[in-house]
Amino acid sequence: MQVTTIGVDLAKNVFQVHGITASEEVVFNKPLRRAQFLPFFAKLEPCLIGMESCSSAHHWARELTALGHEVRLIPPMYVKPYVKRGKSDAIDAEAICEAVTRPTMRFVATKTVEQQSLLSLHRARDLLVRQRTQLINNLRGLVAEFGIFIPKGLARVIGFAEDITLGEVLDLPDIANEVIRNLSEQLMALHKRVRWYEERLKQVAKEDTRVRLLRTIPGVGAVTASAIIASIGDGHQFKNGREFAAWLGLTPANKSSGGKEKLGRITKMGDQYLRSLLVVGMTSLVRQTRSHPERASKWLTSLLERKPARVATVAMANKTARIVWAVLTRNEPYSPRTIA
């Protein structure tokens, strides 16, 4: 019997595969070890393969596509409704096999090796930024116990740590000075690493044409633009800009029923990293608008007059996401509309 559809439940070493025919008759549901995985699919005729979009899914999707199969990646939350009962690899593979055949199912575009390489820069930088923040909080709290106050702001803390590493000795016991010196040295090393990643991202931004196009949008810098390119590529997997904004979780939750329209807060269901970058970028844009109102757009100025600043930044992030999609799909720089 010829297999037409296969659901794959990915794991580290043992993968579960569930295959059916065109008449939806089950052919197999069995585990495969990592060494058996590709040889097994190499022997099969080209078919439709469904997998959950997880950390290794993009790699296996590229490998299976090279063998001639059609691979579709599904968000895990869309597979869950098709799980009958219980939790096992065989049940999950069956659910994936059923979900991939649904006509209204939404899929994740397979990332290229270049996209994943660029995204690794962002993942590593994000990890080091969080570690630096933890270290700064620990250092600030530690010296505060001795009555030493470090003002807010990254530059102030880095300046304090730099002075300590250059030989400044606080009027404290030797043990406390040694601990503060070690923490300061660790903080300076982390900060140096973060700066390296930022410089590398700026270098990528200069080399990539699409990143340069996105940087023409107000509030979108090198980090945000490169993260978007690494995550969605050319953006053609989305039908329109609103669909991209909804994927980022920047659209209000729809809770309408019985003909009554009721919209809630933004869903926050998409990529948290991209969403936070856009919101932070728009927060900077709002600050620039308040300090230099003559440079701001009339739409943003009127929005700030009617709404709180945080609501305005989220609304701007939603609008910017739609502009990002338009710039990518049209492959042309951003040009604001002018009303005569």
Side-chain angles (χ1 to χ4, degrees):
M1 293 182 291
Q2 184 176 355
V3 179
T4 58
T5 308
I6 300 178
V8 180
D9 183 41
L10 295 174
K12 294 181 179 178
N13 297 312
V14 180
F15 308 131
Q16 190 77 23
V17 292
H18 179 92
I20 62 174
T21 63
S23 59
E24 299 187 356
E25 182 179 355
V26 178
V27 180
F28 52 78
N29 191 336
K30 61 180 181 179
L32 293 174
R33 300 199 67 83
R34 176 181 289 271
Q36 302 171 326
F37 190 68
L38 288 180
F40 173 80
F41 283 97
K43 297 177 183 178
L44 296 178
E45 294 293 329
C47 59
L48 173 63
I49 301 175
M51 296 186 293
E52 287 183 329
S53 177
C54 62
S55 58
S56 62
H58 296 277
H59 164 72
W60 292 118
R62 291 192 298 266
E63 293 292 330
L64 294 176
T65 301
L67 294 176
H69 300 286
E70 180 185 357
V71 183
R72 297 178 183 176
L73 303 182
I74 314 172
M77 63 177 299
Y78 292 156
V79 176
K80 189 65 177 176
Y82 295 93
V83 176
K84 301 295 189 299
R85 180 179 294 181
K87 176 70 175 71
S88 69
D89 293 343
I91 293 175
D92 290 345
E94 180 185 359
I96 295 170
C97 185
E98 183 176 353
V100 75
T101 60
R102 298 302 91 194
T104 58
M105 182 57 61
R106 297 176 181 176
F107 302 103
V108 178
T110 303
K111 290 183 175 61
T112 63
V113 178
E114 290 74 19
Q115 282 182 274
Q116 286 189 289
S117 299
L118 181 54
L119 203 55
S120 67
L121 272 177
H122 287 273
R123 295 289 182 259
R125 174 186 171 275
D126 183 53
L127 172 64
L128 293 183
V129 167
R130 285 186 279 114
Q131 290 179 345
R132 185 181 64 180
T133 302
Q134 292 174 351
L135 193 56
I136 287 174
N137 293 337
N138 186 280
L139 180 62
R140 181 181 276 117
L142 184 63
V143 297
E145 294 181 3
F146 296 100
I148 302 174
F149 174 73
I150 302 177
K152 291 184 178 180
L154 176 63
R156 302 293 184 87
V157 183
I158 295 299
F160 173 85
E162 188 176 9
D163 292 339
I164 295 297
T165 56
L166 291 176
E168 181 178 342
V169 180
L170 303 176
D171 187 15
L172 297 174
D174 292 341
I175 295 178
N177 272 315
E178 290 176 2
V179 171
I180 294 173
R181 186 181 304 110
N182 285 332
L183 289 177
S184 298
E185 292 174 354
Q186 185 177 355
L187 176 58
M188 294 304 298
L190 269 177
H191 183 63
K192 184 178 179 180
R193 289 286 184 179
V194 172
R195 293 296 299 271
W196 180 88
Y197 281 107
E198 291 176 348
E199 291 300 322
R200 191 68 181 86
L201 285 172
K202 290 179 181 179
Q203 182 181 348
V204 172
K206 294 178 181 179
E207 298 171 354
D208 197 311
T209 306
R210 295 171 300 177
V211 174
R212 293 201 299 268
L213 285 177
L214 291 183
R215 294 192 65 183
T216 61
I217 305 173
V220 177
V223 175
T224 304
S226 58
I228 292 173
I229 295 301
S231 299
I232 68 169
D234 57 11
H236 284 288
Q237 63 268 38
F238 302 101
K239 296 180 181 178
N240 48 49
R242 176 173 171 78
E243 189 173 289
F244 174 53
W247 180 76
L248 288 174
L250 288 170
T251 53
N254 194 333
K255 301 179 180 179
S256 305
S257 178
K260 297 181 179 179
E261 295 291 334
K262 185 178 180 182
L263 300 178
R265 299 180 177 181
I266 60 173
T267 61
K268 297 183 180 180
M269 294 293 290
D271 193 312
Q272 182 180 358
Y273 181 65
L274 287 183
R275 185 171 63 250
S276 63
L277 287 178
L278 283 174
V279 172
V280 169
M282 295 308 109
T283 302
S284 176
L285 195 62
V286 167
R287 290 177 180 175
Q288 295 176 18
T289 299
R290 289 179 170 176
S291 58
H292 301 283
E294 69 280 358
R295 304 178 187 175
S297 65
K298 295 182 179 179
W299 183 83
L300 180 55
T301 303
S302 62
L303 182 64
L304 288 171
E305 293 174 353
R306 295 180 283 110
K307 299 292 182 180
R310 178 53 62 195
V311 176
T313 55
V314 174
M316 278 296 297
N318 188 334
K319 182 178 180 179
T320 303
R322 288 181 273 130
I323 295 174
V324 164
W325 179 86
V327 168
L328 282 178
T329 53
R330 296 175 185 176
N331 196 27
E332 58 184 26
Y334 169 73
S335 57
R337 292 181 178 179
T338 56
I339 302 176

